[in-house]
Amino acid sequence: MDRRESLKTLIIGGAGSGLLMSCRLENGEEVKELTDIKENKLYYGRTGPEAERDEKLLSEDFYSEEEMATILVLADIIIPGDGEYPAASKTGVGEFIEFITKDLPEHKIPMRGGLRWLKTESNKRFNQNFTDLSQENQLAIVDDIAYPSEVKPELSQGAVFFNRIRNLVTTGYFTSKEGIEYLGYVGNKPNVWDGVPQDVLEKHGLAYDEKMLKQSIKPEERNDIETWENYEV
């Protein structure tokens, strides 16, 4: 199972819901609403002061360009592209992490500290910043901090950081339009009810009123509101 499939299984299996909940989905906002945040469309039931706060957060930048570039590289390592599905960096994950970090300030110090740790570790090993490394060398560092049970004690700070950013990337991706499509989640959709099946009606000796069926039940008029003006009982 590849990395994408592993994360998909995690989300569908329910463990991922904890990740989602950790980023304030417990407020009752729908997944689509967080996608709207990414698109800077604040039509998700906020009060005036809440909408004003969101606008303020969206207008500010917390991460530097270098930090955001590192976040996006890590995002694509965590969730790379897969055929028709884009890599995480193409789905607004960067904007999501930027917003969540400001919305939940407890992320600020750990994220900034983790990015600095990664920069230091990268320069210590390869004398280059993380974003300038070859993919092979980037993965060499990530593989050393991505599996908590196998992390060496001296790399524990990096492992804590990676666990945090993995949660954020996963949450951001699977609440994006692309991530939801990847999961195959369709949500609640109006269904078409064609009435009681004919064999059930026959079993109970019942039948629909043919006149009503002819006059009032037409598939092409399902969305029309019946007036009953010309129906005679």
Side-chain angles (χ1 to χ4, degrees), residues 175-191:
T175 54
S176 70
K177 177 177 180 293
E178 294 83 356
I180 291 171
E181 289 177 353
Y182 181 72
L183 287 174
Y185 177 72
V186 296
N188 295 324
K189 288 188 172 182
N191 199 1

Side-chain angles (χ1 to χ4, degrees), residues 143-172:
D143 285 343
D144 283 345
I145 58 178
Y147 307 97
S149 62
E150 302 172 8
V151 172
K152 297 176 181 177
E154 61 270 26
L155 300 178
S156 60
Q157 184 181 353
V160 171
F161 162 68
F162 190 79
N163 189 52
R164 179 180 294 271
I165 195 169
R166 177 167 47 201
N167 286 351
L168 290 172
V169 168
T170 305
T171 302

Side-chain angles (χ1 to χ4, degrees), residues 192-212:
V192 175
W193 189 67
D194 289 321
V196 179
Q198 187 61 35
D199 61 329
V200 176
L201 289 173
E202 292 175 354
K203 179 180 178 181
H204 294 279
L206 300 173
Y208 281 111
D209 182 333
E210 290 298 327
K211 183 179 178 181
M212 185 177 73

Side-chain angles (χ1 to χ4, degrees), residues 53-93:
R53 177 177 179 275
D54 287 346
E55 291 284 3
K56 182 176 182 296
L57 293 180
L58 287 167
S59 69
E60 299 171 345
D61 291 324
F62 175 74
Y63 295 106
S64 67
E65 290 186 10
E66 179 184 343
E67 289 172 331
M68 183 51 67
T70 303
I71 288 172
L72 295 180
V73 169
L74 288 170
D76 286 352
I77 289 174
I78 294 167
I79 304 183
D82 180 18
E84 62 182 299
Y85 298 102
S89 66
K90 306 298 183 185
T91 65
V93 161

Side-chain angles (χ1 to χ4, degrees), residues 111-160:
M111 282 294 290
R112 179 146 286 159
L115 290 166
R116 285 179 181 170
W117 178 91
L118 188 63
K119 182 177 182 178
T120 301
E121 184 68 17
S122 177
N123 276 280
K124 185 168 67 177
R125 292 196 196 187
F126 305 108
N127 199 32
Q128 284 183 301
N129 290 336
F130 186 75
T131 52
D132 296 327
L133 297 180
S134 65
Q135 187 176 48
E136 179 183 2
N137 288 341
Q138 288 172 345
L139 290 177
I141 296 176
V142 169
D143 285 343
D144 283 345
I145 58 178
Y147 307 97
S149 62
E150 302 172 8
V151 172
K152 297 176 181 177
E154 61 270 26
L155 300 178
S156 60
Q157 184 181 353
V160 171

